[in-house]
Amino acid sequence: PEMWNVLVARLVHASMAQWNDYHHEDEDVDGEERDESGVDYKSTGRDSLVFLVDASKEMFKGEDEEPSPFDMTMQCVRSVYTSKIISSDKDLVALVFYGTEQSKNPRNSFKHVYIYHDLDLPGARRVQDVDGLRGEKGAQVAGETMGSGNTNLGEALWCCSNLYSDIKLRLSHKRLMIFTCRDTPHGGDSERDRQARTKASDLKETGVVIDLMHLMKPGGFDVSLFFCDVVSPPEDEAELGLQMEPCGKLEDLQKRVRAKEMKKRSVASLNLCLGEGMNVAVGVYITALQARKPNAIKLYRDNNEPVRTKTRLYHTQTGSLLLPSDTKRVQVYAGRQIVMEKDEVDVIKKFSDPGLELIGFKPMERLKLHHHLRSAVFIYPEEEMVTGVSNFNPFFTMCSVRNVFALCKYTRIRNSPPRFLALVPQKEEVDDGQAQIAAPGFHGIFLPYADDIRTLDTTQLPTASESQVDKMKEIVHKLRFKYRSDAFENPVLQQHYRNLEALALDLMAPEHIEDLTMPNVNMMDQRLGSLAQEFRDLVYPADYNPEGKTAPKRKPAEAAGGTEKKPKVEMSEDELRGHVQKGNLGKLTVPVLKDACKQFGVKVTGTKKQELIDALTAQLTK
């Protein structure tokens, strides 16, 4: 059995919920982000993706030591395979080559079509197979295994259509990506062009989305010659349409593929009630979610299959199986046990039906930064449900123009406690290529309840002087940089998945992970220069050493010599006032400050250095 089961079973805990103790059924809580991030494949279906790759001779030609289009495609396919295994291992993926010399498909009905991977779950074996097609050796293996022959894209699309029809599982999203560097695959054969366009139209009618991932070729790639009639139009306004420029680099190809294959799933489809008889069908999306290490899964040692647990309750005296109707709920109150039925508990927990209910509007300045309890959700109208969508645009425009947010009561699922959301409008933004980078809709900010805001008893700490504050401002200004959250990966998660990848693929050692969260000490020292030492002189005593040990206590002198006396430090009032004006009292040691307080009759309540400085400053600035 494949060791990859350790990794691909990361979502099995969702399917194990049906084996939980029956008295926990339908007792969902809506307090954690992970509860909203779950995807129910039984109700929504699985995503499917077919890579249809051109295997002609032109695909194996690289220029100027750049990887060939075929090698770039295989690297991109491998990246999608590994990301699917980690993020959505229940999705189905296939790899098909067209324009090959050899044929491999059911009953070899389609010539020059080679099915390398059937439409199935991703796994370690498939990643290893794709690794074997990368680089110069991979190109040689591909030539020996499949070769390059005539091209008939129509038959290749027909073969892919059969892959979808043979799947008995429910599919929510079907996508086909064509990778090629030839803008005229049939060399001007009008009959084959017509057959390919007809079959592409048939695929699109069955719900298959066809995308073109065209690569660079000498003379440029003209999509208007053939492929503009084959690919599918954008599904919605947020969908990236057909790009006219081909991909010349691997990063561009991976970015384009990721934008296409990542399906936007809504965690809930609800009604936004704007008033009596005015409802808008909206979807709730999660824009940011904390990445967590998947839960540990117990495996059966004989075949590495996940072990599913099943819990049942038995009578302690008779040993008979207890049914759901035999159990009661008990709440202890004032020393008494209050017994309730399950139906009664469900009625108590139900506050309202799932949905969003408009309460009113507030000015945007009333929304404070500390009101953000957790990552926000995004509210967007459901395009599939036409009823009520027309009410969304006036509602959105009114909030944007008047600079207000809508206050709503939000109930995600049945028996979940309601929350208050502040719907903040966001206008659409597009980049230079007219690709949407921000969709029009509302950000749902979770507002706190009264008990979510704590009142902390802050202790009185020494106050920094103006010179110390100004020096720290200089340091902060020198160390400031433009922060991007996507520039820092979680090193623990990355190392975890690299270890699993090395185990599953039989690698000698896992890939090295660079911890980007560690500070760059050398660069910080170069930027700061002498500022760090100047700040240290202002705040700490002259003999302070942050990296060394504290000075040992002085031992009393021998009995014959008597005790050793500390020399008393005398300081004139003018000298002390000069230190105060320059803000250099922090350079004096604690014993010197204590002697100065005694010398000038300054009363202090504590013995800390900053308290002595504050007392002397207040006395001498009168």
Side-chain angles (χ1 to χ4, degrees):
E2 296 186 63
M3 289 299 295
W4 196 254
N5 288 323
V6 180
L7 183 56
V8 300
R10 73 174 299 265
L11 294 179
V12 77
H13 65 278
S15 61
M16 289 175 64
Q18 58 183 328
W19 296 98
N20 288 345
D21 194 355
Y22 51 78
H23 65 271
H24 289 303
E25 294 177 358
D26 298 330
E27 295 185 6
D28 296 322
V29 291
D30 186 25
E32 298 293 335
E33 295 183 21
R34 56 178 172 270
D35 294 336
E36 294 194 356
S37 63
V39 176
D40 186 7
Y41 286 94
K42 293 182 180 179
S43 59
T44 62
R46 309 185 185 207
D47 287 354
S48 58
L49 176 61
V50 174
F51 295 105
L52 185 57
V53 182
D54 187 2
S56 61
K57 295 180 180 180
E58 290 84 352
M59 287 286 289
F60 295 90
K61 297 178 181 179
E63 296 183 0
D64 299 332
E65 299 182 358
E66 292 290 333
S68 65
F70 186 85
D71 191 25
M72 290 172 55
T73 303
M74 290 301 101
Q75 293 186 55
C76 188
V77 170
R78 186 192 190 279
S79 175
V80 174
Y81 272 21
T82 54
S83 64
K84 286 284 186 183
I85 289 172
I86 294 174
S87 61
S88 51
D89 62 312
K90 298 300 181 182
D91 293 347
L92 306 179
V93 188
L95 177 59
V96 181
F97 295 96
Y98 72 96
T100 60
E101 182 180 0
Q102 305 295 328
S103 301
K104 182 184 177 183
N105 49 77
R107 298 179 298 276
N108 286 334
S109 304
F110 307 100
K111 301 299 182 183
H112 310 295
V113 180
Y114 197 98
I115 299 179
Y116 203 77
H117 288 151
D118 287 324
L119 201 58
D120 205 347
L121 302 177
R125 184 70 64 186
R126 294 195 167 196
V127 176
Q128 291 174 331
D129 293 342
V130 175
D131 283 339
L133 298 177
R134 294 169 54 189
E136 295 182 0
K137 293 184 179 179
Q140 183 178 357
V141 171
E144 296 174 355
T145 305
M146 300 174 294
S148 299
N150 297 328
T151 300
N152 192 329
L153 187 58
E155 291 196 349
L157 294 174
W158 196 345
C159 181
C160 295
S161 176
N162 291 343
L163 289 179
Y164 287 113
S165 61
D166 292 340
I167 296 298
K168 305 303 179 183
L169 299 172
R170 180 180 178 182
L171 301 178
S172 64
H173 198 255
K174 296 182 287 187
R175 186 175 291 274
L176 186 145
M177 292 186 180
I178 302 176
F179 293 81
T180 182
C181 64
R182 296 185 297 168
D183 48 10
T184 54
H186 303 120
D189 190 337
S190 59
E191 180 62 23
R192 290 190 177 184
D193 287 350
R194 184 190 61 81
Q195 293 177 358
R197 292 189 180 97
T198 302
K199 196 57 195 177
S201 178
D202 296 340
L203 274 175
K204 288 183 281 189
E205 289 180 0
T206 60
V208 179
V209 180
I210 302 177
D211 294 320
L212 175 65
M213 299 298 158
H214 48 304
L215 299 107
M216 189 70 69
K217 81 176 188 69
F221 195 107
D222 189 358
V223 296
S224 63
L225 296 178
F226 172 75
F227 281 102
C228 62
D229 300 327
V230 174
V231 299
S232 302
E235 297 179 80
D236 51 42
E237 296 178 357
E239 181 74 17
L240 185 65
L242 176 61
Q243 300 295 296
M244 305 303 293
E245 294 297 327
C247 295
K249 296 182 179 181
L250 176 62
E251 293 78 8
D252 298 336
L253 180 62
Q254 290 179 336
K255 182 180 180 180
R256 194 172 295 182
V257 170
R258 181 174 179 81
K260 288 289 187 178
E261 65 95 8
M262 289 296 291
K263 176 61 178 176
K264 298 178 288 296
R265 292 180 181 269
S266 62
V267 297
S269 296
L270 306 172
N271 278 335
L272 171 59
C273 181
L274 303 179
E276 186 176 354
M278 295 182 61
N279 294 327
V280 179
V282 297
V284 181
Y285 298 85
I286 294 181
T287 56
L289 188 67
Q290 180 182 356
R292 294 183 175 92
K293 188 183 297 185
N295 297 330
I297 300 175
K298 296 181 179 180
L299 302 178
Y300 189 54
R301 63 180 181 181
D302 291 345
N303 55 11
N304 276 344
E305 291 295 327
V307 177
R308 295 183 177 182
T309 60
K310 187 176 181 180
T311 304
R312 289 291 181 263
L313 295 181
Y314 294 92
H315 198 283
T316 56
Q317 297 178 356
T318 63
S320 60
L321 178 65
L322 295 178
L323 300 177
S325 59
D326 298 330
T327 60
K328 310 292 182 183
R329 272 69 172 170
V330 176
Q331 175 68 42
V332 179
Y333 183 77
R336 296 177 55 190
Q337 288 187 346
I338 303 175
V339 182
M340 293 174 287
E341 298 287 345
K342 180 180 181 298
D343 296 338
E344 295 176 333
V345 176
D346 293 342
V347 173
I348 293 174
K349 293 175 60 178
K350 182 178 180 180
F351 288 86
S352 59
D353 294 327
L356 279 162
E357 183 179 349
L358 178 63
I359 298 176
F361 300 91
K362 291 285 186 181
M364 200 65 70
E365 57 267 15
R366 295 290 299 273
L367 187 63
K368 305 300 181 181
L369 185 62
H370 63 271
H371 290 164
H372 294 67
L373 291 177
R374 41 164 287 193
S375 59
V377 295
F378 192 74
I379 309 298
Y380 191 78
E382 290 285 356
E383 299 293 341
E384 294 83 3
M385 304 175 65
V386 180
T387 304
V389 174
S390 58
N391 296 328
F392 186 86
N393 291 333
F395 175 63
F396 171 79
T397 304
M398 184 270 296
C399 293
S400 301
V401 172
R402 298 189 179 183
N403 195 28
V404 297
F405 67 87
L407 182 62
C408 296
K409 184 178 70 172
Y410 170 57
T411 305
R412 188 177 71 89
I413 57 177
R414 183 169 58 91
N415 293 347
S416 64
R419 300 304 301 261
F420 290 105
L421 287 187
L423 300 188
V424 179
Q426 172 184 270
K427 296 182 180 180
E428 183 182 20
E429 296 181 14
V430 295
D431 58 10
D432 297 336
Q434 298 302 312
Q436 190 182 75
I437 57 178
F442 289 96
H443 286 285
I445 310 297
F446 286 85
L447 298 179
Y449 289 113
D451 54 357
D452 288 327
I453 300 178
R454 298 179 299 167
T455 302
L456 300 178
D457 297 330
T458 57
T459 58
Q460 294 295 330
L461 299 175
T463 304
S465 62
E466 293 185 4
S467 59
Q468 295 172 349
V469 173
D470 293 339
K471 189 63 65 176
M472 179 52 68
K473 287 182 179 179
E474 295 183 36
I475 294 177
V476 172
H477 180 73
K478 289 289 186 180
L479 297 181
R480 184 176 297 173
F481 67 97
K482 188 176 181 180
Y483 173 74
R484 292 189 302 110
S485 59
D486 57 350
F488 299 91
E489 296 177 337
N490 188 332
V492 177
L493 285 179
Q494 294 297 322
Q495 190 63 52
H496 172 74
Y497 286 120
R498 294 302 183 275
N499 292 339
L500 290 180
E501 182 181 14
L503 178 64
L505 302 180
D506 295 330
L507 301 179
M508 295 298 295
E511 183 182 350
H512 174 70
I513 298 298
E514 182 182 0
D515 190 353
L516 300 176
T517 62
M518 298 299 294
N520 191 338
V521 180
N522 294 331
M523 183 184 67
M524 293 171 63
D525 292 341
Q526 292 177 1
R527 289 188 177 184
L528 291 179
S530 61
L531 287 177
Q533 184 61 40
E534 294 175 5
F535 179 77
R536 187 181 305 168
D537 296 338
L538 285 175
V539 177
Y540 299 104
D543 57 349
Y544 175 73
N545 183 13
E547 298 179 356
K549 298 181 179 180
T550 57
K553 295 183 179 180
R554 294 185 179 181
K555 296 182 179 180
E558 296 294 332
T563 58
E564 188 180 71
K565 294 184 179 181
K566 297 180 181 178
K568 188 175 181 179
V569 180
E570 295 287 348
M571 184 177 297
S572 65
E573 184 176 354
D574 294 337
E575 292 178 349
L576 197 58
R577 288 184 183 276
H579 284 294
V580 172
Q581 293 176 358
K582 296 179 181 179
N584 294 335
L585 283 180
K587 294 183 178 182
L588 304 179
T589 61
V590 174
V592 174
L593 293 173
K594 285 182 178 181
D595 292 339
C597 290
K598 293 179 181 179
Q599 180 180 349
F600 298 101
V602 179
K603 295 182 179 180
V604 292
T605 57
T607 58
K608 293 184 178 179
K609 183 177 182 179
Q610 190 61 41
E611 294 175 352
L612 300 174
I613 294 174
D614 294 340
L616 282 172
T617 303
Q619 178 69 24
L620 297 175
T621 54
K622 287 182 179 180

